[in-house]
Amino acid sequence: MVDATVQLDVSTLDPSSKTYYDPDSIVWSVGGQEVATGSWTLTLTEDHLGQTVTVSVSPYADSGYDGTASFTTTIRVSPSLPEPGLDQLSIPHSEVRVTYDKQVHAFTVNATDANIGDITVRYNGTTTEPVNAGTYVVTVDIGTSAVWAPVSGLRVGTLVIEPRPVYVVFTAADKTYDGKVNATVSNIDASRGVISGDQVSVNTSAASFEFKDVNAGYQEVEMKYAYLEGTARNNYVIEQEPIYANILQKEITATAYAADQNYDEDNYDVFSITFGSPVGLVA
C-alpha cells in the first residue's frame, strides 16, 4: 500500500545470504516501469497505486553464482490506510487533576473503534504511569491494523498531580502595640499531611512570623520564609492553618497642669488645664 516500505528478501534463494548479491544489480519496477536501483528497499507512493511491483537482483560476478532472480507481486499497490484520531478514542476527561498521594495515576484511554491497533499511553514520552507531583502531557501510540495506519504521539490530554499540602500550625502570643508586625510564636507543628514513609520536613529555622498589620486588633499571624526539605519535598507545598492573636492597645501617660486663677464665686468650677508631652509613644 502507499507509504509502505517493500524490502527485498533473499533468504529463500540460493545462495540465501545478502553478502553474495551485488546491491548495484537491484532493480525496482512498478507497472513495468523502472523506478529505483541499488537499494534493498522501496517506499511506495501515490504514483504506484494500482500497479504491481517487480524486483530483480544478481550475485556478484566473482561469487561463484550466476543468473538473475526476479519477483513480481500478485497484489497491486493499494491506497494508504487512514490514521485513527480522537474520534476513534474514548477519553472521559481531557484534563485530570489529582493530589499527590504516593499512588500511581493513569490516564484512561479506550478505543471506540475495535479495528484500530493496540494503544500505548505515554506520559511526557514515557510509558511509566506517574506517581510524583507534576504536569504530564498524555499522548498515545496506536499500532497498525488491517484498516488503520499506525499513529505516534497523538496528544489526548493532560494529567496534573498537584503537590500535597503540609499544614503548619503554631501558637502566637498576644503583644502590646509596638509599631512592628513581628510576632512571637511557640509549639510549631509542621508534620500534618505528610504521608508515612515520605522524607519531607518544613524548615522553620529562618522563618519569620508576622501580624498582617501593625495596628492594634485581633488579626492573623503569617509565617514567611519557611521551606521544605527532604527527598520528597517536590511532592508537597506548605500551607498554614489560620492562626490569630491580639495586638493590644498601648497605654500612654501625660502630666496635667492646672493654671492658677483668682477666686470667682460665680465661676468657681471653671479652670484651665494643660497637658505635657505624652509618655510612652512608639517612636
Side-chain angles (χ1 to χ4, degrees), residues 172-205:
D174 294 343
K175 75 170 188 175
T176 300
Y177 170 77
D178 61 0
K180 300 176 182 179
V181 295
N182 61 292
T184 300
V185 305
S186 59
N187 303 321
I188 300 173
D189 181 357
S191 62
R192 301 184 184 184
V194 176
I195 297 174
S196 177
D198 272 355
Q199 299 298 312
V200 63
S201 61
V202 180
N203 189 318
T204 59
S205 61

Side-chain angles (χ1 to χ4, degrees), residues 40-112:
W40 289 93
T41 61
L42 173 69
T43 300
L44 303 175
T45 69
E46 295 283 348
D47 295 336
H48 305 152
L49 270 174
Q51 307 294 323
T52 57
V53 178
T54 300
V55 62
S56 60
V57 63
S58 300
Y60 286 107
D62 59 355
S63 66
Y65 296 88
D66 58 14
T68 297
S70 181
F71 177 79
T72 301
T73 62
T74 57
I75 301 175
R76 297 179 182 273
V77 178
S78 61
S80 59
L81 296 176
E83 292 184 352
L86 297 180
D87 289 343
Q88 283 70 50
L89 300 174
S90 172
I91 305 166
H93 304 283
S94 61
E95 181 177 277
V96 175
R97 288 184 173 270
V98 296
T99 298
Y100 168 76
D101 58 2
K102 209 175 179 178
Q103 302 299 312
V104 171
H105 291 277
F107 194 92
T108 301
V109 181
N110 295 309
T112 57

